[in-house]
Amino acid sequence: MSNNVANMNTEGYMKQRVNLMELEGYTPYSSAKGIQIYKGGGVGISDISQYMNDFQLGDLMGQNSELSSLTSQLGGLKDIADILNELGDGALSTAFSEFYSAAQYLSQDPSNSVLRINYVNAAQTVAETFNQISDALSEKRESLVGSLDYPDSVNKSQAGVVVEEINELLKQITTLNNTIVKTNSTGSVSNELVNQRNQLMQELSNYVDFTSTTNTNGSVNINIAGVDVVKGANRVAELTIVAGDADNPAKVQIQTLDEDQKIKVADIREHIDGGQLSGILNSASNNGEGITFQKVLNQINNMAQVFAESVNEFQTQPGAMCITLDADGNKILTQSQEPLFVIEPNGINAGNIKINQKVYDNPYLVAAAKVEVDVDGKPVDNRAVGDSNNLKSILDLQDKNFGVLGGVTILGSLENLVTKVGSEAVDMQAKVDAQANVVDQSTTNYLSMGSVNLDEELIDMIKYQRAYEAASRVVSTCNQMLQVLVNLGA
């Protein structure tokens, strides 16, 4: 009782109880008539056990794992929403709006050099906004699972740190298993060690979901993704992390610790459902459930490619005219040869989209006009510098639906993406809140059995005190009877 009261505020402490047992009695003598007189052996301490339920502990750890996974995924969704930043300054939709506004103004005065500069600058802002979003998404993903360009970076990523923490906890649990087995073999009580191990197991459940079984010698086995990584006092396997592929940049494996070092599980992502590690791997995967960094980046890449290639197509199509000067310094129309955005060998995406430096340096290379050409491809009227038909076609891109974007416009695709991210973040927040309540209830159930209650301790103290007083009264009565018998004999 005193140990319980002393540790009532100690984190992880589970109250203990003294288990009593009846001691074996004996027959000290028989009467003259052969009647045997039996004497009870009294009471003794069987052992000191804990108020603990393995099922409730397992349930608590499972619920903890689920909450950690959901919380990790929610953090990823919030990061994506912050990166898209559609409600703040520098939003992609704002950049598009300013680009089309610049195109509209230029269409009203196509030969105006200032308006051409504004148009080119607006196009560059769109490209830079795409670049910023791509860089931010890629950097966040790399912080989670490393970069394929630098395979060793996976070890310093969040997933790598979590794997290291898991292995360290497994080492500590194995050490405690060994100590508990040795302590129990001597007949000593190892409850304090069990409390420490339970705390480590609860911490482990925050990182990865696992199952545990208790052995007869007091040690536990830890199983992750169907593989025993701890067997009693022995750690038989560990988690390793290696660079993966484009869909899964990091792969966490389970490898044996024997001489063979066999890979028991090549990628545990599909074998675990809970823990921070599961949330990280899912958020960084291209084929994970729901919204992931790579899925968002893929959609942003599609928008950038559709936009740049469509504008370039109008910029260099037959009859698309830029402005040059004739021998007399007059502005004339010439077939446009320069795309507005740089054409990349492997295709344009959000990460590499950029303005053509030649057009940026000379905004007159912008193909604002679309005129009739002769058989040689030359404008029928090369002085129609005020024509803006090509700009009108570019303005029409605002309302054009693209199959690669799901049959919607570029801005429509962006709006759908932002809405989906926001909606999933709200749903995930609801899941996190609900799971947090489940964890609280599971924690309450677990602690209700093992936490120290002063009222119960007081009742136990009174109970043992009354038992002691009763035993003392028996001894006192026996002494009095013996004294009487002695006096009678005298």
Side-chain angles (χ1 to χ4, degrees), residues 266-298:
D267 186 1
I268 71 172
R269 189 180 69 83
E270 296 182 357
H271 300 277
I272 58 175
D273 298 316
Q276 187 178 346
L277 182 60
S278 174
I280 290 174
L281 295 178
N282 277 332
S283 294
S285 172
N286 190 31
N287 49 18
E289 296 181 0
I291 297 292
T292 68
F293 285 94
Q294 189 58 41
K295 287 181 180 180
V296 172
L297 183 56
N298 290 343

Side-chain angles (χ1 to χ4, degrees), residues 259-329:
E259 294 182 357
D260 295 333
Q261 293 187 327
K262 293 181 180 179
I263 302 298
K264 304 293 288 186
V265 178
D267 186 1
I268 71 172
R269 189 180 69 83
E270 296 182 357
H271 300 277
I272 58 175
D273 298 316
Q276 187 178 346
L277 182 60
S278 174
I280 290 174
L281 295 178
N282 277 332
S283 294
S285 172
N286 190 31
N287 49 18
E289 296 181 0
I291 297 292
T292 68
F293 285 94
Q294 189 58 41
K295 287 181 180 180
V296 172
L297 183 56
N298 290 343
Q299 193 159 343
I300 294 294
N301 284 336
N302 288 338
M303 294 179 203
Q305 181 179 21
V306 167
F307 173 69
E309 291 182 351
S310 297
V311 172
N312 280 351
E313 181 181 356
F314 287 121
Q315 175 75 12
T316 58
Q317 68 177 324
M321 299 294 167
C322 61
I323 294 177
T324 58
L325 301 178
D326 62 13
D328 298 326

